[in-house]
Amino acid sequence: MNNHSLAPWPGELAPREKLLRDGAAALSDVELLAIFLRTGFPGVHVMSRAEQLLRQFGSLHRLVSADYAQLCAQKGVGDATYSQLSATSELAFRCFSSRLTQEDALLNPQVTRNYLQSLLTHREREVFLVLLLDNQHRVLCHQEMFAGSISSVVVHPREIVREALKANAAAIILAHNHPSGRAEPSLADRQITEQIVNACQLLEIRVLDHLVIGRGECVSFAERGWL
C-alpha cells in the first residue's frame, strides 16, 4: 500500500476498517469520500485529497451534485470519477424514491425529507413542488409546479388542486427550497400554505405537510403545529 492510499493517519483507524468495525454511519464525510476515492496523489494522502474536495465544494451534497465541468476542473478528477459520483447520487435518489412509493410517507418522515433534499438542496432558484399521495399516503409522483428567483416564487393554489385531481391524489405534501440556505419559513410561506389548504379542503384533499428545505436543514409545518 503506497503512502497516499487509504493508510490511516498516525494513531487513527483507516476508514475502511472503521466502517467494518462500526458501520458506515460512524464515518465522517471526509472518511466516506476517502473510501470512494481510494488513493491520493504522490505526497498527498487520500484523506487530505478528500478534505480538499469537500472544502472546495462546501459539502458532500454539492460535490456529488456538481456538473461535469466543475468536477473535472479539480486535479485528479476525470471521466471515471465524475461517472462514479453521478451514479452514486442517482442511486441514492432512486433508493429514496422507491421507498416512498412503497411506504407511508408519514411513517417515514426522514425518508421523505432525504428525498426532497436530494431534489431541492442544490437548486439555485426557488422551486415549489408537490408530492402527490394515494389514500395510504404512498407517493404517486412529484410535480415541480413553480420556479422563481433566488428569493421568491409565485404559487397558484388552483394549479396545485388541478394536478392533485389529475393524479387522483388523496393527499399532498408541499415543499420548496430557500437558496439562501436558511430554512426558516417566511410570512409569505405561511400565507400561501393556508391558501392551498383552504383550496384543497373544498375537494377533500389533505395537505399533510409543507417542508422548507435549506442547506443541511429542513423545517416542517406539521411539526411546528401550523397544519
Side-chain angles (χ1 to χ4, degrees), residues 64-117:
V64 173
S65 303
D67 63 27
Y68 179 85
Q70 289 175 311
L71 268 176
C72 292
Q74 307 304 310
K75 183 179 179 181
V77 178
D79 290 354
T81 301
Y82 171 77
S83 298
Q84 289 173 322
L85 283 171
S86 296
T88 299
S89 176
E90 183 63 21
L91 189 64
F93 174 77
R94 293 188 189 187
C95 178
F96 296 139
S97 180
S98 64
R99 286 190 65 183
L100 280 175
T101 61
Q102 298 172 30
E103 302 178 12
D104 186 323
L106 292 183
L107 296 180
N108 296 279
Q110 192 56 51
V111 175
T112 303
R113 292 184 184 203
N114 289 341
Y115 177 73
L116 291 169
Q117 286 175 319

Side-chain angles (χ1 to χ4, degrees), residues 2-108:
N2 58 47
N3 64 1
H4 51 273
S5 69
L6 273 173
W9 294 106
E12 294 186 8
L13 194 65
R16 187 178 294 122
E17 282 65 40
K18 184 177 177 180
L19 183 151
L20 293 172
R21 187 190 69 181
D22 302 327
L27 273 62
S28 67
D29 287 353
V30 170
E31 290 170 326
L32 286 170
L33 184 57
I35 288 178
F36 176 85
L37 294 172
R38 297 195 305 276
T39 63
F41 306 119
V44 178
H45 194 281
V46 66
M47 295 282 282
S48 293
R49 184 187 178 199
E51 286 178 343
Q52 290 167 3
L53 283 171
L54 287 174
R55 188 164 52 248
Q56 176 72 24
F57 287 91
S59 71
L60 193 57
H61 186 275
R62 284 180 173 271
L63 171 64
V64 173
S65 303
D67 63 27
Y68 179 85
Q70 289 175 311
L71 268 176
C72 292
Q74 307 304 310
K75 183 179 179 181
V77 178
D79 290 354
T81 301
Y82 171 77
S83 298
Q84 289 173 322
L85 283 171
S86 296
T88 299
S89 176
E90 183 63 21
L91 189 64
F93 174 77
R94 293 188 189 187
C95 178
F96 296 139
S97 180
S98 64
R99 286 190 65 183
L100 280 175
T101 61
Q102 298 172 30
E103 302 178 12
D104 186 323
L106 292 183
L107 296 180
N108 296 279

Side-chain angles (χ1 to χ4, degrees), residues 195-206:
Q195 293 173 29
I196 295 169
V197 169
N198 291 337
C200 288
Q201 281 178 340
L202 296 174
L203 296 166
E204 299 183 343
I205 299 169
R206 292 187 60 199

Side-chain angles (χ1 to χ4, degrees), residues 176-205:
H176 78 282
N177 64 315
H178 281 175
S180 67
R182 296 189 66 251
E184 187 61 33
S186 65
L187 177 60
D189 292 338
R190 297 187 64 175
Q191 290 173 337
I192 194 62
T193 303
E194 183 177 355
Q195 293 173 29
I196 295 169
V197 169
N198 291 337
C200 288
Q201 281 178 340
L202 296 174
L203 296 166
E204 299 183 343
I205 299 169

